[in-house]
Amino acid sequence: MIPPPDPIPPLVDDEADDLDVPEAGAGGGEVVRIALGPDLAGQRLDKALATAAPDLSRARLQALIAAGQVSLVVEGAAPRPMADGKAKAPAGVYTVLVPPPIAAEPEPEAIPLAVLYEDAHLIVIDKPPGMAAHPAPGCETGTLVNALLFHCGASLSGIGGVARPGIVHRLDKETSGVMVAAKTDAAHQGLSALFARHDIDRMYLALVRGAPQPPAATITTQLGRSPGDRKKMAVLKSGGREAITHYRVEKTFGGDRPMAARVACRLETGRTHQIRVHLASKGSPCLGDPVYGAGAPAAPVKAALSEIGFSRQALHAAVLGFVHPITGETLRFETPLPPDMAALEVALEAL
C-alpha cells in the first residue's frame, strides 16, 4: 500500500500590574483587559502585552493588533485602536478582543463548484481565483475543502487529514485553474503516487512582464525557503529541492520590444510557487504578483492593470492530465483563461 502523503507545510505564523477576568465580546469572543505599568511602558507593544498577558502569545497579539482588535482605553474618550505592534507601548489599560476559537474540523459550505468531471473516486474542478485549497490561519472558511465537504459529503477521502480531506495537490489561493481531489482513500493513494512520480501533465498560462529570453527553454534550479523571508520561496545556490519548469512564449504584446507576454509553462516538478519564482528569476514575473513581481511594468501595462483592477498573479492552471488511479482511463482537462485574465489579455493586445 502506498503510504499517505506527508502533510503540506503552510507557507501560510517585566510583570503585569493587573489582568482582569475576560468579558464577553461581540460575536462570542472575549474582551481581555491588560494594564501596562511604567515598568513595561516604552517596550514594543506586542512584547509588553505578551509579557503582561502570558495566556496570549506574542504572535497571536501581533495578529490581533494587525486586525484592529487591540485598543488603548483613553479616559473620557473613545478607545484608541493600536495599529503597530512595533511601536512603543504607552502606559495604561488596553482592551484586546479575542475572537471565539475556530472549530477544529472544517464545516461544509454551500459554495458553487465548476465541476469538470466526477465519479465515485475523484472530482475535478476549475478553481476560481481567490479560493484557498484548504483552511489555514487567517483563511478558515470559504475554501475548496469547505465546498467539497458540502458537495461530496461523507465520501470525501480522509487521508489528507482533518483539515485537508481529499486534497492531493494545491494551487495558490489567487491562482485559478484545474484541480483534482480524491473522494476515496484508494484514489487518494493512487493520485498521490502519480504526483510523487511527476506522472501528471500540467500546463499553466501566465501573463508576464516583458518576455523571458530565450523564447523557449527549461529552467532547472534548487528551490527553497528564502533566507531573507521565510514566507517566500527563492532560487538557492545550495540546499532546497530540484525544480524544473519548461516554458514557451506563446505571444508577445507591445511591439518589437515586448512589454508583456503570454507564456505556457509545463511542470516537471511541483514545488511551492515554482512557476512564479522561476518566471521572476528570468526577469519576467507574473503580472500582478504581489510577492514576486518586484519592479513596475511598463506604463501602458501598469495602466491596463489599473483599468481592469487586476491585483493577483496572472497565472492559470489550464491543463491537467493523468491516468485515473482506479479505472486506468486517460483523463485530460483544459480550461480557458478566467474572465479577469482574459480581459487583461485583451487589454495587452491593444498595446
Side-chain angles (χ1 to χ4, degrees):
M1 176 179 293
I2 300 170
D6 293 334
I8 304 171
L11 282 178
V12 322
D13 71 351
D14 320 351
E15 298 179 357
D17 291 340
D18 183 34
L19 177 59
D20 291 343
V21 177
E23 307 167 2
E30 295 178 334
V31 177
V32 178
R33 295 172 61 85
I34 305 173
L36 296 185
D39 54 333
L40 292 176
Q43 294 187 18
R44 277 180 56 132
L45 177 62
D46 53 8
K47 180 180 179 181
L49 291 175
T51 301
D55 288 341
L56 293 172
S57 70
R58 187 169 173 182
R60 179 68 165 139
L61 283 161
Q62 288 170 344
L64 291 170
I65 292 169
Q69 305 294 343
V70 178
S71 298
L72 175 63
V73 177
V74 180
E75 187 175 353
R80 190 176 85 202
M82 308 303 290
D84 186 2
K86 299 177 183 178
K88 292 184 178 180
V93 176
Y94 294 78
T95 59
V96 181
L97 176 57
V98 182
I102 300 296
E105 298 186 16
E107 295 292 331
E109 296 179 36
I111 302 170
L113 288 173
V115 178
L116 304 177
Y117 175 89
E118 183 176 11
D119 63 16
H121 309 285
L122 55 83
I123 181 171
V124 180
I125 62 103
D126 186 8
K127 186 187 82 68
M131 174 185 276
H134 56 75
C139 186
E140 289 84 5
T141 61
T143 72
L144 178 59
V145 161
N146 298 109
L148 288 173
L149 286 170
F150 183 89
H151 182 88
C152 302
S155 69
L156 202 64
S157 167
I159 288 184
V162 172
R164 305 178 188 181
I167 298 300
V168 180
H169 68 126
R170 296 188 303 174
L171 294 179
D172 295 336
K173 180 179 180 180
E174 298 301 338
T175 296
S176 56
V178 189
M179 281 189 68
V180 60
K183 294 175 66 176
T184 66
D185 289 352
H188 202 299
Q189 293 166 349
L191 288 169
S192 295
L194 291 176
F195 277 93
R197 297 197 305 265
H198 312 306
D199 197 9
I200 299 279
D201 180 16
R202 286 176 287 176
M203 190 273 281
Y204 291 68
L205 292 174
L207 298 175
V208 305
R209 188 179 75 207
Q213 292 295 324
T218 296
I219 305 172
T220 303
T221 69
Q222 298 298 116
L223 211 62
R225 299 282 176 179
S226 169
D229 185 343
R230 301 298 292 173
K231 294 181 180 180
K232 295 175 62 175
M233 306 301 286
V235 171
L236 304 177
K237 293 182 178 179
S238 61
R241 303 175 72 186
E242 185 179 52
I244 304 172
T245 303
H246 308 284
Y247 76 87
R248 176 172 54 86
V249 175
E250 291 191 336
K251 188 186 302 185
T252 60
F253 309 101
D256 294 336
R257 301 187 64 182
M259 291 182 276
R262 170 173 162 146
V263 180
C265 298
R266 290 194 176 274
L267 291 180
E268 189 167 320
T269 57
R271 311 304 181 202
T272 301
H273 297 178
Q274 177 175 320
I275 291 175
R276 296 166 65 189
V277 175
H278 272 174
L279 290 175
S281 74
K282 298 290 289 185
S284 292
C286 294
L287 292 175
D289 193 330
V291 178
Y292 302 105
V301 176
K302 187 175 181 180
L305 290 166
S306 177
E307 181 178 348
I308 296 171
F310 197 95
S311 59
R312 70 175 180 97
Q313 62 265 12
L315 185 61
H316 175 67
V319 173
L320 181 66
F322 57 92
V323 174
H324 194 297
I326 306 301
T327 68
E329 180 183 3
T330 298
L331 301 176
R332 186 181 187 276
F333 305 94
E334 183 170 1
T335 58
L337 293 178
D340 60 344
M341 277 186 68
L344 178 58
E345 183 171 23
V346 169
L348 295 174
E349 287 173 341
L351 296 180

